[in-house]
Amino acid sequence: MGAERRMRTALVLGGGSEIGLAIVRRLATQGLERVVLAGRDRDAIRLALGPDPLLVDAVDVVAWDALDVASHEPLVARAAELLGSIDVVVCAVGLLGHHAGLSMTATDADLLLRTNFTGPAAALSAVGQALERQGHGTIVVISSVAGARARRSNFVYGSAKAGLDSYAQGLGDALVDTDVRVHIVRPGFVVSKMTTGLDPAPMATTPAVVADAVVAVLDSTTNRIVWVPGRLGPMMGVLRNVPAPLWRRIAGDR
Ligand SMILES: NC(=O)c1ccc[n+]([C@@H]2O[C@H](COP(=O)([O-])OP(=O)(O)OC[C@H]3O[C@@H](n4cnc5c(N)ncnc54)[C@H](OP(=O)(O)O)[C@@H]3O)[C@@H](O)[C@H]2O)c1
């Protein structure tokens, strides 16, 4: 299958995500024809999209909540109806919780875990099955460096991302004999709505840089793991294995 066909249509889960929209804008310069943006607040998604001339007639905004498990299969069916076939699915749902670890109530921790792990994971299960039936497709899962090793300041978010990352790896393996690929993206700190009010971490990047890294692997015929920036990969390879007291010092309150 050619690159053009793969990128003709897209579904974004978490359709108002700045990273998700940056990917869509980038794809729009490369022939994306239609996109479904799925999220909780349709007006807010339209506002986040803005008056993009390349996308203004190409977008459907569909109401969808990642925590409503019963809505996942109908959403994917609706997207297939609107798009014809779904070439790319970007999973960009997320909630950071602004570095609350131990201070979180059980209710807050539960919401963070469901929003970052079980909600999107269940949706990806519906996506994986639909793309397998369809016979082709590319799934992009936005994971995080935070999932590579939990930090005391945000271990709830980090552990949820670790779960989603592991789930996406397994999904990719389960689909390996089909024409469906699963790419996992692990950004470090990205300046976006999600990180408003936080001091940028070292190596902070932007949604546009993440979008460039995603688009660069989109046509890969093998499942890919993409760190953004790229040097985070080897760095975390080392940091994942340093002794806990040293890790706590390096991670600090970040
Ligand atoms: N920004 C970073 O530093 C960073 C770093 C690494 C990874 N990431 C990951 O990148 C992805 C995109 O983040 P971003 O930076 O683009 O932040 P963002 O603009 O805040 O995007 C997150 C999106 O998730 C949506 N969402 C939250 N709960 C939802 C739910 N229950 N159902 C449906 N949608 C829901 C939000 O919608 P609402 O507007 O309705 O809340 C928002 O559109 C996330 O998975 C995030 O964890 C971000």
Side-chain angles (χ1 to χ4, degrees), residues 75-94:
L75 169 73
V76 179
R78 177 79 184 124
E81 213 174 270
L82 290 164
L83 298 172
S85 73
I86 310 172
D87 298 333
V88 183
V89 178
V90 177
C91 179
V93 175

Side-chain angles (χ1 to χ4, degrees), residues 17-19 40 65-66 93-94 142-143 157 161 188 190 192-193:
S17 148
E18 285 191 43
I19 293 175
R40 293 184 293 192
D65 187 334
V93 175
I142 315 289
S143 173
Y157 173 79
K161 281 296 195 184
V190 182
S192 77
K193 182 160 60 84

Side-chain angles (χ1 to χ4, degrees), residues 13-22 38-42 44-45 48 64-68 72 91-96 111 114-116 119-120 141-146 157 161 164 185-196 198 205 207 210 228:
L13 305 175
S17 148
E18 285 191 43
I19 293 175
L21 289 174
R40 293 184 293 192
D41 183 339
R42 296 170 68 200
I45 292 174
W64 170 74
D65 187 334
L67 303 183
D68 178 7
H72 299 338
C91 179
V93 175
L95 178 65
L96 184 57
L111 176 66
R114 286 187 294 125
T115 304
N116 289 299
V141 180
I142 315 289
S143 173
S144 172
V145 68
Y157 173 79
K161 281 296 195 184
L164 183 69
V185 186
R186 295 175 182 162
F189 189 106
V190 182
V191 179
S192 77
K193 182 160 60 84
M194 177 174 276
T195 50
T196 303
L198 295 175
T205 181
V210 179
V228 190

Side-chain angles (χ1 to χ4, degrees), residues 58 62 64 69 71-72 108 127 148 156 159 161-162 173 181 203 216 244 248-249 253-254:
V62 174
W64 170 74
V69 177
S71 72
H72 299 338
D108 290 343
V127 166
V156 183
S159 62
K161 281 296 195 184
D173 286 341
R181 295 286 70 81
M203 293 190 269
R248 284 194 292 273
R249 280 227 309 279
D253 289 330
R254 286 210 166 276

Side-chain angles (χ1 to χ4, degrees), residues 112-236:
L112 216 66
L113 292 166
R114 286 187 294 125
T115 304
N116 289 299
F117 181 19
T118 57
L124 286 171
S125 158
V127 166
Q129 288 176 2
L131 296 194
E132 185 189 26
R133 279 194 303 273
Q134 175 182 273
H136 77 278
T138 301
I139 302 170
V140 176
V141 180
I142 315 289
S143 173
S144 172
V145 68
R149 186 165 186 177
R151 307 193 296 270
R152 63 178 164 183
S153 62
N154 78 342
F155 62 87
V156 183
Y157 173 79
S159 62
K161 281 296 195 184
L164 183 69
D165 195 295
S166 178
Y167 188 97
Q169 290 176 51
L171 181 66
D173 286 341
L175 289 164
V176 81
D177 294 327
T178 71
D179 198 11
V180 180
R181 295 286 70 81
V182 180
H183 304 317
I184 298 171
V185 186
R186 295 175 182 162
F189 189 106
V190 182
V191 179
S192 77
K193 182 160 60 84
M194 177 174 276
T195 50
T196 303
L198 295 175
D199 289 336
M203 293 190 269
T205 181
T206 64
V209 170
V210 179
D212 284 346
V214 169
V215 170
V217 301
L218 215 51
D219 281 330
S220 173
T221 52
T222 56
N223 296 335
R224 300 285 290 271
I225 291 181
V226 183
W227 296 84
V228 190
R231 59 188 185 280
L232 268 181
M235 210 179 95
M236 286 313 297

